[in-house]
């Protein structure tokens, strides 16, 4: 298995076109990762994911650790085999879910203590444990455990969380390297994907000076690449763009940059314009289940009565399965009737739209027309539901 | 568009191998119809249905009439276009759903008055109205409105319902023929599939003498083919087989025979052995969503803890998408986590199993080995969950 690598092939302004290599294949960047929370991207099969063009998916360590458990998955041969997906997988560390989902969370220097949202059972996730769990899952890219805090956070609280995240990152890296060493490997951990890479996470809230310090100290530790955490958590879009751009400019140019948890289609383009290479977000899948379809002119709420007899496709420009086979009227009917097939069809379209947007972005960078695409997008795409 | 026809090609004992022609293509019989209640077979897309080999699906007139309404579907060009399915569709008459789902049902000679289970609104379904609705839906095969009653019913009640069903069948046939006549067509009804066929329904509960009378009187009216209603409603399997066989023997041999709402896999084989050609049932789809998978040795409850680490496929002999790509452990995990993708994967397998069972039945009849298949099935298939 090839180890992790990244090759930057084209630049267009700050936008970058490249390719990541992982043990389970390559990913063209900028790339978007559908979120496969608990071993499935909600509503679709793996083949449907392949067909919409997903090159990599994200798995949530918090969920998989609680159910069915990383040890069971390791005994099954790792997450790829367990879920039947041969392409690359990135796993998060669980930090964000502990922050957003778990009950009675208590952060200590040792790690994050929390109660499961499923059964109230008590758990302790340390930087080492989060690294071990991901080694057992065998994802191609593992993330370090970081401390996520509510925003906007006062400077002192943001500094404290950033500094702890740096100390945790150092411990996670040490553990990761121990797991790589067949002789020094800690007992009880099955490394199911020896070529796994590990990304560090930049924190610091919306405070640029903290972000700069986080970059310096996290880069010093030495990771395969770096992610930007703590954004897309309620701050205005412009602030997110500013912070992402500020961090991206300081990150090593020869490593991919991953903006975690972002975002709306226009967020993707604006972030690529600032040097971001990798994204994940639940919006295309979650909004699909809520009846929102993304189109080139903006989101469309399929439950709207005006679609009741609309025999046209959801997005006239879209060649996806849903748009070639289903009318707005049919999708509205399925949504109103609560038919799960409607969620599947909406998800197929939204994922295709997101992944197709990334394809258009990559092509524009290749041909040096990214700024034109960005302006076009600004003129034609509106965040407000256009129907 | 070719009108409806049926060609019987092989017999093996009472089992029959044939082909139905409809305006949307042919169906190899004996055939099983997945149930697409409200314009979707729950949990799967039309392409998944094609891939498991469905040649015809069933749509529920009651549900489609209430939502989105037969007039809306007619304006969209008919049910095939509305749901994006180009192959044959059979619609039931709504009688069974009024009996099993609707509130405050009142049967009068004119028709069946009921309140919608969705919003309590008052509706009247007459034999003529049920025929009109199905003409607007434009299914390839329409069913007459019949009166369904609880079983076991005393002879007098069963006779009354049977006799009313015969009178209703005559009215439905008259209306159907009026709709076929471009000059005599009742106003306000859009015939979206001029080649539609109409099946009569034999009633009479478990009383053989009533069944005989129902056959004589219904056949006299003249339909494209005949269905057996009022079975699979709680009576013992042997009683169902006896009644189905009794009716089948008296029906015209040159017309297909449809046993409505049946059944378990062994019911299909036993009914084919008695001369039945066509089936529909919610079991493969509904049980899939409840975590029950059909296999050659019997049903399997995927939530059973013993499957937690079972890396084998649901059914080792099955070449379906689910069995080639997913382990029992993965399907169990998806079921326990409540992931809708699990319902989809289970549905794909169960439908494949049902349709593959029909393929095996058809092949056995062709080669004169149906009795051997039936004995094999009896020996290897157990209704009791084997795990």
């Amino acid at each position: 298995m090839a180890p992790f690598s990244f090759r930057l092939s084209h630049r267009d302004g700050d936008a970058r076109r490249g390719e990541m290599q992982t043990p389970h294949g390559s990913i063209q960047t900028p790339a978007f990762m559908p979120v496969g929370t608990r071993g499935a991207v909600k509503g679709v099969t793996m083949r449907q994911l392949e067909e919409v063009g997903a090159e990599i998916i994200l798995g949530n360590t918090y969920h998989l650790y609680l159910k069915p458990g990383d040890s069971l998955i390791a005994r099954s041969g790792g997450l790829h085999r367990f879920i039947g997906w041969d392409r690359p997988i990135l796993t998060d560390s669980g930090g964000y879910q502990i922050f957003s989902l778990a009950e009675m969370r208590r952060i200590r220097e040792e790690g994050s203590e929390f109660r499961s949202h499923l059964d109230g059972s008590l758990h302790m996730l340390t930087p080492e444990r989060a690294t071990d769990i991901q080694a057992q899952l065998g994802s191609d890219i593992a993330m370090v455990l970081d401390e996520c805090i509510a925003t906007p956070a006062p400077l002192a609280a943001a500094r404290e969380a950033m500094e702890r995240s740096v100390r945790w990152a150092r411990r996670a890296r040490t553990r990761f390297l121990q797991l790589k060493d067949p002789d020094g490997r800690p007992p009880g951990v099955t490394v199911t994907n020896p070529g796994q890479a590990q990304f560090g996470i930049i924190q610091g809230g919306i405070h640029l000076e903290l972000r700069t310090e986080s970059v310096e100290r996290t880069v010093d530790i030495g990771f395969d690449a770096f992610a930007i955490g703590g954004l897309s958590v309620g701050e205005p879009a412009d602030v997110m763009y500013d912070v992402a751009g500020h961090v991206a400019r300081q990150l090593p140019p020869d490593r991919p940059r991953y903006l975690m948890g972002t975002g709306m289609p226009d967020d993707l383009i604006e972030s690529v314009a600032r040097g971001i290479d990798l994204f994940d977000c639940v919006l295309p899948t979650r909004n699909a289940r809520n009846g929102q379809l993304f189109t080139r002119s903006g989101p469309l709420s399929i439950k709207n009565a005006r679609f009741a007899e609309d025999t046209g496709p959801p997005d006239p420009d879209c060649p996806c399965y849903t748009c070639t086979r289903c009318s707005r009227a049919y999708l509205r009917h399925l949504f109103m009737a609560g038919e799960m097939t409607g969620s599947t069809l909406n998800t197929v379209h939204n994922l295709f739209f997101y992944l197709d947007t990334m394809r258009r972005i990559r092509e524009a960078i290749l041909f040096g027309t990214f700024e034109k695409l960005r302006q076009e997008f600004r003129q034609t795409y509106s965040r407000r539901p256009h129907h």
Side-chain angles (χ1 to χ4, degrees), chain A:
Chain A
M1 288 192 293
F4 180 85
S5 69
F6 179 63
R7 193 177 63 85
L8 198 62
S9 57
H10 300 83
R11 285 166 192 272
D12 188 0
D14 287 331
R16 298 139 53 94
R17 173 81 179 81
E19 185 177 67
M20 284 197 289
Q21 289 289 347
T22 81
H24 286 85
S26 65
I27 301 129
Q28 303 302 314
T29 64
F32 178 82
M33 301 184 282
V35 177
T37 315
R38 302 182 288 192
V41 174
K42 285 186 197 300
V44 292
T45 65
M46 294 304 173
R47 204 185 61 181
Q48 284 166 328
L49 278 177
E50 290 160 4
E51 286 170 354
V52 295
E55 294 193 321
I56 177 170
I57 61 173
L58 181 146
N60 284 130
T61 290
Y62 170 87
H63 290 289
L64 294 167
Y65 157 71
L66 289 178
K67 209 151 91 177
D70 49 299
S71 295
L72 186 151
I73 290 173
R75 286 194 296 273
S76 295
L79 188 57
H80 292 84
R81 274 189 64 181
F82 184 70
I83 69 176
W85 171 258
D86 281 340
R87 299 185 183 186
I89 299 175
L90 179 147
T91 44
D92 61 12
S93 66
Y96 183 75
Q97 274 71 36
I98 291 175
F99 162 69
S100 61
L101 272 183
E103 291 160 20
M104 288 188 45
R105 181 175 49 100
R106 209 168 66 178
I107 305 290
R108 295 188 295 196
E109 186 57 24
E110 174 65 10
S112 203
E113 196 179 54
F114 66 94
R115 288 194 180 278
S116 159
H117 74 291
L118 296 176
D119 60 7
S121 56
L122 195 64
H123 300 265
M124 175 74 168
L125 196 65
T126 64
E128 292 81 8
R129 188 83 184 87
T131 307
D132 291 352
I133 293 169
Q134 292 176 84
Q136 298 222 101
L137 296 176
S139 54
D140 298 285
I141 300 170
M143 303 301 300
V144 297
L145 183 66
D146 56 347
E147 183 186 348
C148 302
I149 57 170
T151 53
L155 184 64
R159 166 165 289 283
E160 197 182 346
M162 181 275 282
E163 291 185 341
R164 178 171 288 129
S165 290
V166 169
R167 292 192 297 274
W168 283 6
R170 197 173 293 122
R171 287 166 52 192
R173 189 64 186 173
T174 300
R175 184 65 158 208
F176 180 80
L177 295 175
Q178 286 170 353
L179 291 168
K180 288 277 180 198
D181 174 7
D183 300 324
R185 189 173 294 171
V189 180
T190 305
V191 175
T192 57
N193 184 357
Q196 186 182 58
Q198 188 186 40
F199 286 12
I201 303 177
I202 309 304
Q203 287 288 0
I206 58 172
H207 308 282
L208 298 186
E209 67 280 20
L210 292 185
R211 288 285 180 175
T212 298
E213 194 177 329
S214 177
V215 169
E216 286 166 1
R217 296 171 64 177
T218 309
V219 170
D220 262 359
I221 298 171
F223 285 99
D224 293 295
F226 301 90
I228 305 173
L231 291 179
S232 266
V233 287
E235 76 283 359
D238 284 348
V239 172
M240 175 175 81
Y241 300 155
D242 285 350
V243 176
H246 173 85
V247 173
R249 275 190 298 279
Q250 301 175 68
L251 285 171
D254 61 342
R255 306 294 167 94
R257 302 154 181 170
Y258 164 29
L259 180 55
M260 303 180 81
T262 298
M264 296 292 280
D266 45 342
D267 290 335
L268 304 183
I269 292 201
E270 289 305 316
S271 302
V272 167
R274 288 161 175 83
I276 302 297
D277 308 296
L278 189 57
F279 301 90
D280 81 279
C281 193
V282 296
L283 278 182
T285 42
R286 177 181 295 163
N287 290 17
R289 299 193 304 282
N290 294 329
Q292 190 179 65
L293 292 163
F294 290 98
T295 78
R296 289 210 180 186
S297 50
L300 171 160
S301 179
I302 200 64
K303 64 173 169 271
N304 196 305
R306 65 187 287 179
F307 298 133
E309 304 210 20
D310 187 336
T311 56
D315 186 343
D317 296 324
C318 181
C320 83
Y321 172 81
T322 303
C323 287
T324 48
R325 189 120 182 196
C326 305
S327 67
R328 292 172 173 183
Y330 180 53
L331 294 176
R332 177 176 190 272
H333 163 66
L334 294 180
F335 183 83
M336 300 305 282
E339 281 287 338
M340 58 184 282
T341 300
S343 290
T344 296
L345 292 167
N346 295 346
T347 302
V348 164
H349 168 74
N350 278 357
L351 284 177
F352 185 91
F353 180 83
Y354 264 66
L355 294 164
D356 188 56
T357 299
M358 301 315 293
R359 276 189 288 270
R360 292 164 62 206
I361 289 174
R362 289 196 298 270
E363 193 179 82
I365 299 172
L366 187 68
F367 289 108
T369 56
F370 176 74
E371 194 55 33
K372 182 163 162 281
L373 174 69
R374 184 183 177 193
Q375 294 306 328
E376 257 177 37
F377 208 86
R378 280 190 182 163
Q379 281 158 27
T380 56
Y381 187 87
S382 161
R383 268 193 192 203
R384 289 186 52 199
H386 62 104
H387 297 288

